[in-house]
């Protein structure tokens, strides 16, 4: 989660089919004409409208049917995209569309967790288009799906094939290390509030420091807009208030001390973490509505100046707070810490699982597979990548000394628009970005050419504070991907999927004893549904392999 439009972070299909009839695309048995391209790069393929589901909760598109970017894409590919954006649980959405057969032509969504599991299930049920024999015609896709360009456990689990066939296109994985995007997840405090209570945010290092810091904010009895200031808050559905977990364990599967792994939910560290958050809730230090509120409600609290400390990645915090900061100079959110990490040496770089945001698939309901591949191929090209990220060359930006440079007219317009709608209506910052192949934002592009200097300076300042030892991109095996291939997983998964909900139930109980009972009840269910055999399988299959032992949200 890394989430990812957050979580995110950091992110695939190539040249058109050359003749032949496509099977598995309902209602289309026409000859492919995608290879017959005129010299101007446009396509002679028939025009078609394809529905694309962008399965990210809260993501939005343009207010207009055809943006300048969409028009260029149509000129190049013959494809008009009709977008569908998710409101609500991504996991529920992916499961619902395949259960009801209310399917888009193309699906793109998170490359992890229950969302990925839902796509793998659909592949096993033959609900997706098999790309295995098509990849040789699409070199951009083949490159993005190459084993060396995908995290190993994810390749083994899904990208390398499901039942020997390739269905999933991996999107937005950094092409080079300099393309790796660190979203700077952490706790951030309003600078003016830290000044009022007389605490240097960089002096907050430990679990006790953080608790005492939040308590001091509450005891100050501050108010904004006629309402009390809430010490700690987050965004929709509790994102991402739980990130203090890194102070309790290194990553989700921990060494038991004998070299074997156990899921952290089965350990005392998880109990300590849960009781810590129960204390924050019971003492009024954490917004009790954080886990049920929508993003608009969360953003309204921030705009009212009612949240002292926010947990999330920094771009989201900067976006949500910019109106309040503009009206109240000096109220910028600044980093807390860096906080201690359980088991990590003080000089250890930040371990970040920087990988693609999305997997993209073509469903068997697709009305024109050829057109879908043509679209995805173009977006995965350097030209498509630059178009989706920066807008139309010659209109929004120019190439200078081999790098894209924003036109001042549009830079000023985008900077003045605090809603972000103008950029979306030009065709940027919408779903196309999720389907542009490997992330080449620095190696091919010129970074974020639309970021204003104040924002860039804030990001750089936060980076210096939170990443004093730099970052290390995780490339080791994730045990979570391995356990999902165990024979017991189908039976075990429903129990494991309840961990997040049970944690929220536990931290709202009336006593520590009640919280531990809630946790232990689920532990019993997990053990009764095959956990011991599944974790044994995991340990056996990870022997001799480098395993992720430290990880931070990215």
């Amino acid at each position: 989660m890394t989430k990812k439009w957050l979580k995110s972070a950091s992110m695939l299909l190539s040249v058109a089919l050359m003749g032949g009839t496509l099977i598995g695309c309902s209602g289309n048995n026409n000859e492919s004409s995608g290879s017959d391209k005129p010299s101007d790069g446009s396509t002679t393929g028939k025009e078609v409208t394809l529905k694309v589901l962008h399965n990210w909760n809260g993501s939005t598109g343009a207010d207009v049917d055809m943006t300048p970017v969409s028009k260029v894409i149509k000129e190049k590919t013959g494809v008009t995209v009709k977008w569908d954006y998710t409101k609500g649980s991504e996991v529920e959405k992916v499961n619902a569309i395949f259960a009801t057969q209310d399917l888009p032509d193309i699906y793109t969504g998170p490359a992890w967790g229950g969302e990925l599991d839902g796509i793998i299930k659909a592949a096993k049920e033959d609900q997706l288009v098999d790309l295995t024999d098509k990849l040789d015609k699409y070199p951009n896709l083949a490159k993005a799906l190459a084993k060396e360009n995908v995290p190993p456990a994810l390749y083994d689990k899904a990208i390398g094939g499901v039942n020997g066939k390739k269905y999933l296109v991996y999107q937005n994985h950094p092409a080079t290390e300099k393309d790796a995007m660190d979203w700077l997840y952490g706790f951030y405090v309003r600078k003016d509030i830290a000044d009022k209570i007389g605490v240097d945010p960089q002096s907050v290092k430990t679990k006790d420091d953080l608790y005492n810091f939040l308590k001091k904010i509450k005891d100050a009895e501050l108010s904004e807009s006629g309402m009390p200031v809430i010490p700690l808050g987050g965004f929709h559905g509790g994102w991402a208030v739980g990130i203090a977990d890194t102070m309790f364990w290194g990553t989700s599967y921990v060494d038991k001390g004998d070299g074997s792994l156990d899921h952290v939910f089965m350990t005392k560290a998880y109990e300590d973490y849960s009781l810590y958050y129960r204390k924050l809730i019971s003492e009024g230090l954490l917004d009790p509505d954080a886990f049920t509120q929508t993003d608009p409600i969360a953003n309204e609290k921030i705009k009212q100046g009612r949240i002292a400390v926010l947990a999330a990645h920094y771009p989201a915090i900067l976006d949500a707070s910019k109106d309040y900061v503009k009206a109240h100079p000096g109220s910028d959110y600044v980093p807390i810490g860096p906080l201690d990490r359980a088991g990590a040496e003080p000089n250890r770089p930040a371990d970040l699982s920087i990988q693609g945001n999305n997997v993209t698939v073509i469903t068997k309901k697709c009305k024109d597979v050829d057109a879908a591949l043509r679209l995805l191929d173009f977006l995965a090209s350097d030209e498509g990548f630059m178009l989706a990220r920066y807008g139309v060359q010659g209109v929004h930006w120019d190439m200078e000394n081999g790098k894209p440079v924003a036109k001042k007219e549009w830079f000023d317009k985008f900077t003045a628009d605090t809603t972000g709608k103008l950029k979306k209506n030009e065709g940027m910052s919408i779903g196309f970005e999720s389907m542009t192949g490997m992330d080449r934002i620095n190696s091919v592009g010129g970074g974020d050419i639309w970021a204003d200097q104040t924002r860039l300076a804030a990001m750089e300042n936060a980076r210096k504070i939170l990443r004093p030892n730099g970052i290390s991109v995780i490339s080791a095996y994730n045990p979570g991907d391995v356990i999902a291939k165990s024979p017991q997983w189908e039976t075990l998964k429903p129990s494991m999927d309840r961990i997040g909900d049970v944690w929220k139930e536990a931290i709202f109980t009336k006593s520590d004893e009640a919280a531990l009972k809630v946790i232990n009840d689920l532990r019993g269910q997990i053990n009764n549904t095959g956990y011991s055999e599944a974790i044994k399988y995991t340990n056996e299959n990870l022997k001799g392999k480098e395993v992720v032992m430290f990880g931070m949200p990215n």
Side-chain angles (χ1 to χ4, degrees):
M1 246 42 52
T2 174
K3 260 324 101 268
K4 152 4 277 272
W5 59 277
L6 328 147
K7 269 249 326 61
S8 100
S10 328
M11 293 3 290
L12 311 151
L13 283 126
S14 139
V15 274
L17 279 175
M18 307 186 59
T21 301
L22 293 174
I23 306 300
C25 177
S26 62
N28 176 44
N29 289 321
N30 298 316
E31 287 293 311
S32 167
S33 56
S35 61
D36 302 322
K37 295 183 178 179
S39 58
D40 65 357
S42 61
T43 180
T44 59
K46 68 176 185 179
E47 293 187 359
V48 63
T49 296
L50 297 179
K51 179 180 176 182
V52 180
L53 170 61
H54 189 262
N55 191 30
W56 285 93
N57 178 30
S59 60
T60 58
D63 292 330
V64 295
D65 291 334
M66 287 293 287
T67 69
V69 168
S70 300
K71 290 176 181 176
V72 174
I73 290 172
K74 182 179 180 180
E75 290 170 6
K76 297 289 184 177
T77 67
V79 177
T80 298
V81 172
K82 180 180 179 182
W83 290 102
D84 182 13
Y85 292 93
T86 294
K87 299 291 183 285
S89 166
E90 294 94 342
V91 175
E92 291 178 5
K93 183 69 172 182
V94 72
N95 290 331
I97 62 171
F98 288 106
T100 63
Q101 290 296 290
D102 182 18
L103 295 170
D105 298 286
I106 300 171
Y107 165 97
T108 191
W112 48 72
E115 299 92 343
L116 178 60
D117 292 339
I119 291 298
I120 293 173
K121 182 174 181 288
K124 291 178 177 178
E125 294 172 349
D126 196 32
Q127 298 201 62
L128 307 178
V129 173
D130 177 12
L131 306 176
T132 310
D133 296 332
K134 300 173 175 59
L135 289 175
D136 60 339
K137 302 181 181 70
Y138 297 87
N140 289 335
L141 295 182
K143 181 178 180 180
L145 298 178
K147 192 171 186 178
E148 63 269 20
N149 294 326
V150 180
L154 181 58
Y155 186 88
D156 291 350
K157 178 179 180 179
I159 305 301
V162 177
N163 294 337
K165 299 178 180 179
K166 294 182 185 251
Y167 300 95
L168 286 70
V169 175
Y170 192 42
Q171 307 274 22
N172 310 131
H173 188 71
T176 69
E177 283 216 357
K178 68 179 182 178
D179 295 308
M181 173 61 180
D182 179 3
W183 291 76
L184 296 171
Y185 269 89
F187 292 91
Y188 293 79
V189 63
R190 284 236 319 260
K191 186 178 183 302
D192 59 327
I193 290 179
D195 291 342
K196 283 179 183 177
I197 66 172
V199 176
D200 177 3
Q202 272 63 73
S203 70
V204 179
K205 302 288 187 183
T206 68
K207 297 185 283 286
D208 289 342
D209 290 344
L210 181 60
Y211 165 78
N212 291 328
F213 186 53
L214 297 173
K215 192 172 189 307
K216 195 161 186 177
I217 293 171
K218 186 176 192 304
D219 291 345
E221 297 182 345
L222 304 173
S223 64
E224 289 279 0
S225 303
M227 292 173 281
V229 167
I230 300 166
L232 173 60
F235 289 82
H236 62 273
W239 178 68
V241 295
I243 59 175
D245 57 1
T246 58
M247 293 193 288
F248 292 86
W249 57 76
T251 189
S252 297
Y253 288 80
V254 297
D255 192 326
K256 294 168 62 177
D258 59 2
S260 64
L261 301 172
D262 206 1
H263 192 282
V264 72
F265 182 75
M266 312 302 278
T267 70
K268 185 179 183 302
Y270 198 90
E271 297 174 3
D272 295 340
Y273 164 67
S274 301
L275 297 183
Y276 182 85
Y277 270 85
R278 199 196 77 77
K279 187 176 183 179
L280 297 183
I281 289 285
S282 64
E283 296 186 12
L285 305 182
L286 171 59
D287 184 359
D289 297 327
F291 299 97
T292 54
Q293 68 190 0
T294 63
D295 226 32
I297 290 174
N299 279 300
E300 185 60 27
K301 291 177 181 176
I302 298 166
K303 288 180 179 179
Q304 293 172 344
R306 294 181 55 213
I307 308 296
V309 175
L310 271 171
H313 64 55
Y314 205 20
I317 292 173
L318 290 171
D319 288 342
S321 63
K322 59 187 175 185
D323 287 344
Y324 186 85
V325 171
K326 186 176 181 180
H328 302 81
S331 63
D332 316 62
Y333 281 90
V334 296
I336 293 173
L339 300 173
D340 292 346
R341 298 168 56 201
E345 295 294 327
N347 61 349
R348 185 181 179 92
D351 303 84
L352 302 178
S353 180
I354 295 177
Q355 56 184 41
N357 287 346
N358 280 49
V359 293
T360 301
V361 295
I362 302 172
T363 76
K364 282 288 188 73
K365 293 286 186 176
C366 175
K367 64 179 66 69
D368 191 330
V369 171
D370 186 12
L373 288 169
R374 199 163 62 236
L375 169 70
L376 292 169
D377 168 52
F378 172 71
L379 290 173
S381 69
D382 286 353
E383 181 184 1
F385 178 87
M386 303 273 272
L387 175 67
R389 296 301 180 97
Y390 298 144
V392 181
Q393 184 175 0
V395 176
H396 301 108
W397 59 277
D398 291 314
M399 190 69 79
E400 296 181 8
N401 299 318
K403 290 292 182 181
V405 176
K407 282 184 174 288
K408 187 177 186 305
E409 170 195 358
W410 285 103
F411 183 93
D412 291 343
K413 287 180 179 180
F414 292 155
T415 301
D417 175 32
T418 58
T419 69
K421 273 296 183 182
L422 179 58
K423 185 182 284 187
K424 290 178 182 291
N425 287 340
E426 291 300 307
M428 292 160 268
S429 300
I430 61 175
F432 286 123
E433 291 187 4
S434 297
M435 302 189 298
T436 51
M438 299 184 75
D439 188 5
R440 291 148 281 169
I441 193 67
N442 293 312
S443 59
V444 170
D448 186 356
I449 66 172
W450 300 114
D452 65 72
Q453 295 304 306
T454 301
R455 183 187 182 95
L456 289 176
M459 291 286 288
E460 187 57 31
N461 180 64
R463 184 170 288 107
K464 289 177 180 177
I465 294 170
L466 296 179
R467 307 292 187 246
N469 305 305
I471 66 171
S472 175
V473 179
I474 295 172
S475 60
Y477 277 82
N478 184 343
D481 291 332
V482 178
I483 198 171
K485 297 176 76 72
S486 68
Q488 296 79 22
W489 184 244
E490 186 174 348
T491 303
L492 176 61
K493 182 179 181 297
S495 301
M496 298 293 282
D497 285 347
R498 292 191 58 221
I499 289 176
D501 290 336
V502 163
W503 179 74
K504 284 183 278 190
E505 182 182 346
I507 67 175
F508 279 96
T509 56
K510 298 298 183 182
S511 68
D512 287 356
E513 293 75 19
L516 294 177
K517 183 181 185 304
V518 170
I519 292 170
N520 283 322
D521 284 348
L522 180 57
R523 284 173 173 170
Q525 181 179 328
I526 287 172
N527 281 321
N528 290 335
T529 49
Y531 175 74
S532 60
E533 295 88 351
I535 196 67
K536 181 180 178 182
Y537 169 94
T538 303
N539 280 302
E540 289 175 348
N541 280 272
L542 287 173
K543 283 181 181 177
K545 296 178 179 177
E546 183 186 1
V547 177
V548 176
M549 297 308 298
F550 291 97
M552 298 180 69
N554 176 64

